Amino acid sequence: MVTNDKPARLQRRVFFQCAAALVLSGSGMTLADVTKPRYRMGLQLYTVREPMGRDPVGTLKQARALGYRNFETYGFEPDTVKYYGMPAREFRKVLDDLALTTTTGHYDLHQYLAQPAAAMTSYIDRCIEGALALNQKYITWAWLDPKSRSLDSFKLVAERLNLIGAQASRAGLKVAYHNHDFEFLPHDGKIGYDIIMNETDPGLVKLQLDLFWVAHSSTRTAHELFQRQPGRFVMWHVKDMDEAKRYTELGNGVIDYTRIMGDAQLAGLEEYFVEQGDNFAVSPMESIEVSAAYARKHLT
């Protein structure tokens, strides 16, 4: 005999909803908090630099359709305070109209390392102007020239990071440092990344950890780095690594991001950004689509 068990199913559903509500009421959380993603899907726009060069607004719309909501800029034009050929406030309007945000940008601070400190602070003034117009929280130092990778250079980088960190702080911003592989290469038994970590003020200078380069070149795991300075690794770059140690789309390589995400609270993670510099399986837009599918499942 066929019976209609819809009332019973409804009763069970109501029971579990009420039970969940009772548990959450003691924690101050709501059912909406439970279902809300922990992290927005972020994208470093350098990944799609070719499409952005042709059609920045159309590219942002396509990325939004894939689920990306927060972006990291690159290619800031300090003389005109522009991004992607648009004045900062105009670019902000594009983002606002699409309900998108940008938490940080990669700024070309390495170009000023060999110059007097005043030249760097003058450049930071322009970065602050742009970052505030975009409502960014961080100005991120993203690169060092090969000639600037000695231990003495890393000490100067740390000194300058503290200087510009204080300058940005007065404007309500923070400075972050982004790593590659060379920070982990030994120099007489020492590594540059230790200097960056130990000789900068954690209150003024945060760390944007590129997890690909940690897997590629560091003798310490991401977990070990997080343990050394908990709460300081506020941003991550996530991209996968194939067996030849080249970039690849998330889920197509050997890095276990499901395990690393277990350390998000230890690290102090606020935002992550998908980033893939090259070695696209087909095209940049198709690569960020593959990575978005992985991120939706494992990183939000």
Side-chain angles (χ1 to χ4, degrees):
M1 180 177 65
V2 177
T3 60
N4 183 2
D5 66 347
K6 183 176 180 180
R9 293 199 305 272
L10 180 60
Q11 289 176 351
R12 287 195 297 270
R13 187 183 312 123
V14 171
F15 171 80
F16 285 118
Q17 287 175 345
C18 290
L22 285 171
V23 171
L24 292 171
S25 65
S27 66
M29 297 173 64
T30 67
L31 287 170
D33 293 325
V34 173
T35 58
K36 184 173 64 177
R38 292 176 299 164
Y39 301 104
R40 299 175 295 175
M41 279 175 51
L43 177 67
Q44 162 53 260
L45 288 171
Y46 183 75
T47 308
V48 290
R49 57 196 177 275
E50 293 179 5
M52 285 294 291
R54 295 191 300 268
D55 181 8
V57 177
T59 301
L60 290 171
K61 288 179 178 178
Q62 291 181 61
R64 186 185 188 283
L66 294 174
Y68 295 101
R69 292 293 181 269
N70 188 38
F71 295 93
E72 182 172 52
T73 60
Y74 76 94
F76 174 63
E77 302 170 46
D79 293 337
T80 53
V81 192
K82 288 184 177 181
Y83 299 81
Y84 312 105
M86 290 176 269
R89 294 190 183 280
E90 182 181 326
F91 185 60
R92 166 72 180 275
K93 187 177 186 308
V94 170
L95 294 172
D96 287 348
D97 289 347
L98 294 173
L100 300 173
T101 60
T102 169
T103 301
T104 184
H106 277 189
Y107 292 87
D108 292 333
L109 285 146
H110 67 279
Q111 296 181 3
Y112 299 86
L113 184 62
Q115 299 184 35
M120 181 172 283
T121 57
S122 178
Y123 174 66
I124 283 290
D125 281 338
R126 307 311 295 270
C127 296
I128 288 171
E129 182 181 351
L132 289 176
L134 296 187
N135 199 31
Q136 291 180 333
K137 294 171 60 178
Y138 294 98
I139 292 169
T140 300
W141 186 326
W143 180 250
L144 288 176
D145 291 324
K147 65 180 180 296
S148 302
R149 299 175 186 176
S150 67
L151 291 180
D152 286 341
S153 290
F154 282 116
K155 289 179 179 293
L156 179 58
V157 170
E159 178 184 313
R160 292 289 180 86
L161 282 168
N162 286 326
L163 177 68
I164 64 176
Q167 181 182 356
S169 180
R170 291 191 288 271
L173 298 168
K174 286 187 172 64
V175 165
Y177 184 83
H178 173 89
N179 67 279
H180 290 81
D181 59 339
F182 49 80
E183 288 89 351
F184 301 116
L185 301 180
H187 300 264
D188 298 324
K190 298 180 180 179
I191 63 171
Y193 204 68
D194 283 349
I195 294 173
I196 298 297
M197 291 178 69
N198 297 333
E199 298 189 15
T200 53
D201 182 343
L204 300 174
V205 180
K206 302 302 181 182
L207 298 171
Q208 183 184 78
L209 194 65
D210 190 310
L211 292 159
F212 171 93
W213 290 116
V214 173
H216 185 282
S217 299
S218 176
T219 58
R220 300 189 187 105
T221 65
H223 178 73
E224 289 169 332
L225 290 170
F226 299 150
Q227 285 182 314
R228 289 172 67 87
Q229 293 192 345
R232 196 176 182 188
F233 299 85
V234 296
M235 295 179 287
W236 297 353
H237 266 209
V238 297
K239 50 183 175 270
D240 221 334
M241 182 171 68
D242 67 15
E243 292 183 355
K245 288 195 166 186
R246 299 170 302 187
Y247 299 152
T248 191
E249 297 73 22
L250 292 178
N252 288 351
V254 300
I255 300 177
D256 184 0
Y257 280 105
T258 60
R259 178 180 55 80
I260 296 173
M261 281 300 290
D263 278 337
Q265 186 173 359
L266 172 66
L269 180 65
E270 297 173 5
E271 305 284 355
Y272 72 83
F273 299 96
V274 172
E275 193 264 332
Q276 185 175 340
D278 55 31
N279 199 39
F280 304 110
V282 178
S283 69
M285 296 308 296
E286 290 182 68
S287 287
I288 68 167
E289 182 175 2
V290 171
S291 291
Y294 180 94
R296 277 194 301 272
K297 184 175 181 181
H298 298 293
L299 306 183
T300 57

